[in-house]
Amino acid sequence: QAKSRGKNTFDFYAPELTQSVRARLTMEGDLRAALDTNQFLLHYQPIVSLNGAGVQGLEALVRWQHPVRGLVPPDEFIPVAEDSGLIHEIGDWVIDAACAQLAQWDARGLSHLTLAINLSPVQFRRDGLVSRIARRLRQHSIASERLHLEITESLLMEQNRHVAETLQTLDAMGIGLCIDDFGTGYSALNYLRHFPIRQLKVDRSFVEDMLHAEDTRALVRAIVLMAHALRLEVVAEGVEEKSQLELLREMGCDQVQGYLLSRPLPAAEIPGWIESQRLRIVS
Ligand code: C2E
Ligand code: MG
Ligand code: MG
Ligand code: MG
């Protein structure tokens, strides 16, 4: 169809293209400046056990405090950071900030918490990820067991020897590897046997559809059973309603995370939130 417009095609599309290219370049420049002037911050969302153990840990979620646009969510800038390579520096900042925060909470007596951080597949393609993580843990005196890394199914599907070795090393260090958004990728279940995965995080879309769609409910139930057969833990993401939590508990899901429990919170609000939960543990 575009071809039939012949000569005019370029004129017709060019302004739009130019605009999106320009927007992207602007964002790249802004991200660069954001790194230099410390505009990133982490919010933390509690992950709560369904077997009475209370708050198990937190997930660190990056935000960008943009001078003009305000608080920008990660889905709007992580893809640009990945394409431009800036994800390496942003990712290193996240690792450092997360470990520093764990150390701060330790000092306040919250030394039982685990902290999960999200890693982009791009970060695995550069050498030295393991040593950079190890250095940060050492620097902040954090035991590696306290750190969880959330990775995507697509990373495992790459069949990349370097990635496989990196994951083996991280696991051997005691770091817990979790598959994020489980069920949305290829879900070639065979891969679960070949990688040292500890936890599956069932994607929010399943939790959302589960109450209304019987097939989705059957899928979640099957994921929990399969995960447990492989000795993996299951975390349900995006739990917003009590009825979802009850169904997940009945299915044997291990942990839940979602707005029903808490939104992602600034670091300063975490000790208070945990204290307020101590007496009303979901069990
Ligand atoms: P994710 O890792 O799957 O994180 C869960 C997302 O769901 C978060 O969005 C969280 O705020 C949101 N969420 C949690 N509970 C609920 C709920 O009950 N209902 C709904 N509707 N949403 C809920 P957020 O913070 O905007 O992050 C989006 C994605 O950005 C993350 O998805 C993750 O893939 C990526 N991301 C976040 N932080 C980082 C980071 O430090 N590095 C990298 N590479 N990616 C990150
Ligand atoms: Mg995640
Ligand atoms: Mg997720
Ligand atoms: Mg996600």
Side-chain angles (χ1 to χ4, degrees):
Q1 196 200 357
K3 219 173 192 171
S4 66
R5 285 202 193 93
K7 231 171 78 177
N8 288 329
T9 306
F10 180 77
D11 287 346
F12 186 76
Y13 285 107
E16 228 177 291
L17 262 182
T18 312
Q19 203 181 30
S20 77
V21 168
R22 201 187 299 131
R24 190 152 266 244
L25 286 174
T26 304
M27 186 179 270
E28 269 186 45
D30 284 4
L31 281 172
R32 180 73 256 166
L35 273 165
D36 296 339
T37 59
N38 219 0
Q39 292 171 14
F40 295 107
L41 68 154
L42 296 177
H43 280 179
Y44 299 87
Q45 189 176 36
I47 303 170
V48 177
S49 164
L50 282 178
N51 46 46
V55 183
Q56 301 266 285
L58 304 155
E59 177 176 2
L61 295 155
V62 73
R63 273 94 184 87
W64 176 14
Q65 186 66 61
H66 189 284
V68 178
R69 296 173 60 191
L71 208 59
V72 185
D75 287 334
E76 285 179 33
F77 66 88
I78 292 289
V80 179
E82 288 177 333
D83 287 351
S84 61
L86 287 169
I87 191 65
H88 294 291
E89 272 178 84
I90 297 174
D92 285 347
W93 179 86
V94 168
I95 294 164
D96 183 43
C99 291
Q101 189 56 62
L102 265 182
Q104 274 198 36
W105 284 326
D106 278 9
R108 299 196 48 173
L110 298 173
S111 52
H112 60 287
L113 294 174
T114 61
L115 185 57
I117 63 180
N118 293 278
L119 288 191
S120 159
V122 177
Q123 291 176 268
F124 282 86
R125 290 192 204 117
R126 178 180 281 187
D127 282 340
L129 180 65
V130 171
S131 58
R132 284 199 304 281
I133 292 174
R135 174 154 25 95
R136 291 311 183 197
L137 289 170
R138 212 164 41 238
Q139 216 167 51
H140 298 286
S141 305
I142 301 295
S144 41
E145 287 73 18
R146 307 273 304 285
L147 192 67
H148 287 188
L149 300 179
E150 301 195 0
I151 60 175
T152 60
E153 283 172 284
S154 63
L155 181 71
L156 304 186
M157 299 299 295
E158 282 180 17
Q159 305 216 35
N160 177 322
R161 171 115 174 258
H162 170 68
V163 169
E165 285 171 0
T166 302
L167 294 173
Q168 293 293 347
T169 309
L170 292 167
D171 175 66
M173 285 165 67
I175 293 173
L177 301 173
C178 318
I179 300 186
D180 205 352
D181 306 337
F182 185 78
T184 58
Y186 290 96
S187 295
L189 300 175
N190 186 40
Y191 279 80
L192 290 176
R193 296 187 299 132
H194 297 303
F195 292 99
I197 302 301
R198 302 245 200 107
Q199 201 176 65
L200 302 183
K201 299 192 77 172
V202 177
D203 191 67
R204 179 172 86 224
S205 57
F206 293 94
V207 175
E208 197 176 312
D209 296 346
M210 191 178 64
L211 290 179
H212 317 287
E214 196 166 337
D215 51 352
T216 307
R217 196 153 63 239
L219 259 177
V220 176
R221 203 180 287 279
I223 290 172
V224 174
L225 285 172
M226 175 203 61
H228 286 169
L230 293 171
R231 287 189 292 274
L232 303 174
E233 283 185 338
V234 186
V235 181
E237 299 191 274
V239 177
E240 295 182 356
E241 297 168 31
K242 188 80 183 156
S243 50
Q244 293 168 333
L245 185 140
E246 292 311 331
L247 184 54
L248 288 162
R249 189 206 304 282
E250 184 251 311
M251 288 174 173
C253 180
D254 302 288
Q255 296 171 38
V256 286
Q257 183 179 359
Y259 295 167
L260 177 69
L261 292 314
S262 172
R263 292 193 170 249
L265 299 171
E269 292 179 32
I270 290 297
W273 188 88
I274 288 176
E275 182 58 27
S276 74
Q277 288 299 298
R278 226 160 45 86
L279 300 172
R280 42 183 300 254
I281 288 170
V282 196
S283 69

